[in-house]
Amino acid sequence: MIKLYACLGSGNCFKPWLAMHQLGISFDLQLIDVLKGEQKSDEFLNVNPIGVVPYLVTDSGVGIGESNAMLWYLAEGTKLMPEALEDRAEALQWMFFEQSKLEPFISPARFFTTILPTERENRAKDIEVWQASADLGLGRLNAHLQGRDFMLTSGYSITDIAMFGYVHVLEEAGLSLEDYPSVARWIGLVSETEDFVPLADLGTKSSKAA
């Protein structure tokens, strides 16, 4: 069985977890408490020497790092993988964009604003920089989503899951959805897709998909 090593609340960990639920893939969820440093324990380093989550181990024992690479692996041959070559290229374009223009800014701003609020004041200047950088990427995303339901014209796919991971919690990073109406509408549509499970259920909902 596939094993997913993940931590609670992580947008990156949420991506493969959601994809497997929506695809009906059974998997074993192994929770790692990163706030306690469990990702650097000898036990976990034997699984993933880099010491980060998420980390996926296939049913044949091959380890895969990077959340969007996991999505690509899981979606092959399924309804979540774009079929046309051009759509696959566009999917990769946006998945690269998510990891370079959105996640690096939304994630730390959210961490020090909501997950570890005791450090919010100490990191106030950093948070402002992260928010400003995230705003640039979110503005481009908002423009792209105007007049369309999902990231690709071909329909809902892993492209949406990749973008959704951190974008849907942007308000926890001190940003406002009111500034990105097309993004807000898209978040609603993704949340209504078949077998969608929210981030809050990660670790509480059965790790074995139906």
Side-chain angles (χ1 to χ4, degrees):
M1 182 181 291
I2 291 175
K3 288 187 179 181
L4 175 64
Y5 294 84
C7 64
L8 297 177
S10 165
N12 282 332
C13 294
F14 176 59
K15 298 175 194 177
W17 182 83
L18 173 59
M20 286 191 284
H21 275 291
Q22 292 195 299
L23 290 171
I25 298 173
S26 295
F27 64 101
D28 179 22
L29 178 66
Q30 299 287 321
L31 289 177
I32 303 295
D33 191 334
V34 297
L35 294 179
K36 292 183 178 179
E38 290 181 358
Q39 75 278 20
K40 302 301 181 182
S41 67
D42 291 340
E43 181 180 3
F44 183 65
L45 290 174
N46 285 333
V47 176
N48 179 14
I50 299 178
V52 297
V53 291
Y55 193 69
L56 189 80
V57 179
T58 71
D59 51 13
S60 60
V62 176
I64 301 175
E66 300 298 330
S67 59
N68 290 344
M70 296 173 204
L71 288 178
W72 200 263
Y73 168 80
L74 293 166
E76 184 62 37
T78 76
K79 61 185 179 181
L80 291 181
M81 177 62 81
E83 293 184 6
L85 179 60
E86 293 85 354
D87 288 338
R88 286 183 175 229
E90 186 180 4
L92 287 173
Q93 170 190 313
W94 284 110
M95 292 166 86
F96 295 147
F97 177 85
E98 184 270 337
Q99 285 289 287
S100 62
K101 305 299 183 183
L102 294 173
E103 188 272 350
F105 310 120
I106 296 174
S107 178
R110 174 179 177 247
F111 184 80
F112 291 110
T113 298
T114 301
I115 298 177
L116 197 64
T118 54
E119 290 295 313
R120 185 186 306 161
E121 185 175 347
N122 292 335
R123 304 301 295 269
K125 291 184 178 180
D126 290 330
I127 291 171
E128 288 182 5
V129 172
W130 290 324
Q131 289 172 336
S133 297
D135 178 65
L136 294 174
L138 288 166
R140 179 175 169 186
L141 176 62
N142 190 72
H144 174 73
L145 287 168
Q146 288 180 8
R148 62 173 69 205
D149 290 340
F150 298 111
M151 291 297 300
L152 305 182
T153 56
S154 55
Y156 181 67
S157 71
I158 52 171
T159 323
D160 297 283
I161 296 178
M163 302 298 290
F164 190 85
Y166 274 103
V167 169
H168 87 286
V169 291
L170 63 84
E171 292 193 319
E172 294 181 11
L175 297 156
S176 175
L177 274 174
E178 292 183 358
D179 295 330
Y180 318 104
S182 295
V183 171
R185 180 180 53 80
W186 165 78
I187 288 174
L189 291 172
V190 171
S191 300
E192 294 172 355
T193 54
E194 185 177 2
D195 295 321
F196 176 86
V197 188
L199 174 59
D201 283 358
L202 200 166
T204 62
K205 189 174 178 65
S206 172
S207 61
K208 292 184 179 181

